[in-house]
Amino acid sequence: MTRLAACERDATARLIASIAALDARRLYLTEGFSSLFEYCATVLHLSEHAAYDRITAARAARRFPVILVRLTDGSVTLTTVRLLAPHLTQANHEALLAEVRHCSKRDVEHIVARLHPQPDVPPSVRKLPTQAAAPRAADSTPAASAQPNEPQEPATPPPEPPSVDTSQTVRAASPGPPARPAVVAPIAPARYKVSFTVGAETYAKLRQAQDLLRHVVPDGDPAVIYDRALTALLTQLLKTKETDTARPSASTRMQQDRGASSRSRRIPAAVQRTVWQRDGGQCTFVSRSGRRCAARSWLEFHHVVPFAVGGEASIDNICLRCRAHNAYQAQRDFRPSGAMRAREAAPSYGATRVELVPARVRMKSWPYARWLDAH
């Protein structure tokens, strides 16, 4: 997998270098295309998004050839180059490319927000247009939107738009307003734009909260109300997780005493609280290379020594695992019916190859298994 990923990065860098040369010499004109974008979409069969990313990276690489080296070694991605391209200069490109090394898209967006801060979005609550299609029973209630005012930010157009506007076709095929996905995007250091769509009931709750909080929030700013609501929700969730309770209740102490006297699968609240604080609210699975899982959602309390073989619900025997790693460890501990068995395959390149295959293979997977054997 590592070699394949390296080959893909190398091929992508070579393609971008070729696109840059083709763009500099405008060779797409001799092939009968009026734009480089149209050439990439028609001849190279790239999607519109892929063509735009590669054209943007190619034009940035013409100005700063070191981008090709960074793409080849995997220190930056096409998305990183696309986000940084408008902000790269001869004075800052080396420092910026070093700063975004192996950064995620979210981290790069924060860096872009620092380079080009935008003003705060004014708060606004507005109603979305109703569907143009025939209303169904479930759609009889018009949807409402509770979100900060979003100024019409022009979507970044491709360098040279294609001759056919496919978006008009999509809109004609599906009448009604386009879907508005939830957005959480940085616009300046420590400032974020949040937009999402809510239903009529949530809209009514927001209006009621604004009315009740006029003496505290005179302007009814939704950002302040959402902050107060999230603070109350987090306080409740932490108490539900029994991690923010200083003294357990009498019923909890009775259950702890009963659990200590008789073997029970239930984990006492004091143990959960201590384990949560010790593990920092994060999955504790560590790979063989030493990388700890970064998951902080879908966390579960995991028995290091399984309960079925005598493991106790003690602080030393309990740790936090995300749901995926908890199930993975259970599969390793108990080996269910779909366990792996060794199968010796035909010799490959003069060496005997042993691979692990499922004990029960479904019929639909046999063609893929034969392809593996052939390769």
Side-chain angles (χ1 to χ4, degrees):
M1 295 296 294
T2 304
R3 290 197 303 270
L4 290 174
C7 291
E8 181 184 17
R9 292 194 300 267
D10 181 72
T12 300
R14 291 174 180 270
L15 174 62
I16 290 174
S18 299
I19 292 176
L22 186 141
D23 183 34
R25 300 169 62 184
R26 306 184 69 186
L27 296 180
Y28 53 86
L29 296 175
T30 63
E31 297 296 323
F33 296 93
S34 60
S35 68
L36 178 60
F37 185 89
E38 185 181 4
Y39 175 86
C40 291
T42 305
V43 177
L44 304 184
H45 304 294
L46 298 176
S47 66
E48 294 183 1
H49 184 74
Y52 174 57
D53 279 356
R54 283 153 181 78
I55 291 175
T56 303
R59 290 175 175 171
R62 286 176 56 189
R63 298 165 52 205
F64 313 107
V66 70
I67 290 178
L68 295 176
V69 180
R70 299 291 188 268
L71 288 171
T72 303
D73 61 23
S75 59
V76 299
T77 63
L78 286 174
T79 301
T80 299
V81 175
R82 172 172 57 83
L83 293 174
L84 282 183
H87 310 284
L88 293 176
T89 64
Q90 292 292 341
N92 69 2
H93 74 279
E94 293 184 358
L96 280 180
L97 291 175
E99 184 178 0
V100 300
R101 178 180 176 86
H102 298 306
C103 285
S104 64
K105 178 182 177 182
R106 182 176 302 177
D107 296 334
V108 176
E109 287 176 343
H110 282 82
I111 296 174
V112 171
R114 185 195 69 205
L115 295 173
H116 185 64
Q118 303 178 20
D120 287 356
V121 178
S124 174
V125 179
R126 56 184 178 178
K127 182 180 178 181
L128 293 177
T130 56
Q131 292 277 347
R136 297 175 298 177
D139 298 331
S140 58
T141 303
S145 172
Q147 60 186 21
N149 183 28
E150 296 180 58
Q152 296 298 328
E153 299 177 0
T156 305
E160 290 158 327
S163 57
V164 179
D165 186 3
T166 56
S167 61
Q168 295 293 339
T169 305
V170 175
R171 283 195 290 270
S174 57
R180 297 191 177 187
V183 174
V184 179
I187 59 175
R191 308 298 292 174
Y192 298 86
K193 180 185 75 173
V194 180
S195 64
F196 53 90
T197 304
V198 300
E201 294 183 0
T202 306
Y203 172 76
K205 294 177 183 177
L206 173 63
R207 286 305 190 191
Q208 185 178 5
Q210 287 177 322
D211 294 336
L212 295 175
L213 289 174
R214 286 297 179 182
H215 62 290
V216 180
V217 189
D219 59 352
D221 188 358
V224 179
I225 296 176
Y226 285 128
D227 179 72
R228 294 172 67 97
L230 287 175
T231 301
L233 176 62
L234 287 175
T235 303
Q236 179 184 359
L237 290 176
L238 289 175
K239 290 182 178 180
T240 303
K241 291 289 185 181
E242 296 180 323
T243 60
D244 198 34
T245 304
R247 297 177 59 184
S249 61
S251 59
T252 302
R253 288 196 298 268
M254 292 176 60
Q255 292 176 356
Q256 293 176 7
D257 297 339
R258 190 183 304 114
S261 59
S262 60
R263 177 168 157 74
S264 172
R265 183 181 290 273
R266 182 188 177 281
I267 304 174
V271 174
Q272 295 185 25
R273 185 165 56 251
T274 304
V275 169
W276 188 282
Q277 295 175 353
R278 180 197 66 195
D279 296 341
Q282 181 180 344
C283 177
T284 59
F285 180 84
V286 179
S287 66
R288 287 182 294 180
S289 61
R291 182 187 185 277
R292 179 179 175 180
C293 176
R296 292 183 177 272
S297 58
W298 298 102
L299 296 179
E300 300 175 348
F301 290 98
H302 168 72
H303 289 73
V304 178
V305 178
F307 176 82
V309 295
E312 298 180 353
S314 62
I315 296 176
D316 295 334
N317 194 51
I318 300 296
C319 65
L320 289 179
R321 291 285 178 88
C322 63
R323 177 173 295 181
H325 279 128
N326 197 9
Y328 170 73
Q329 189 63 45
Q331 182 180 8
R332 295 185 61 184
D333 291 339
F334 298 104
R335 297 292 184 183
S337 58
M340 309 296 285
R341 62 179 175 83
R343 179 182 72 181
E344 183 174 344
S348 176
Y349 302 104
T352 302
R353 178 164 55 94
V354 178
E355 58 184 4
L356 295 177
V357 297
R360 297 180 180 179
V361 181
R362 296 182 181 181
M363 293 302 295
K364 64 180 182 180
S365 65
W366 276 111
Y368 181 67
R370 288 198 297 268
W371 183 89
L372 286 175
D373 290 339
H375 294 78

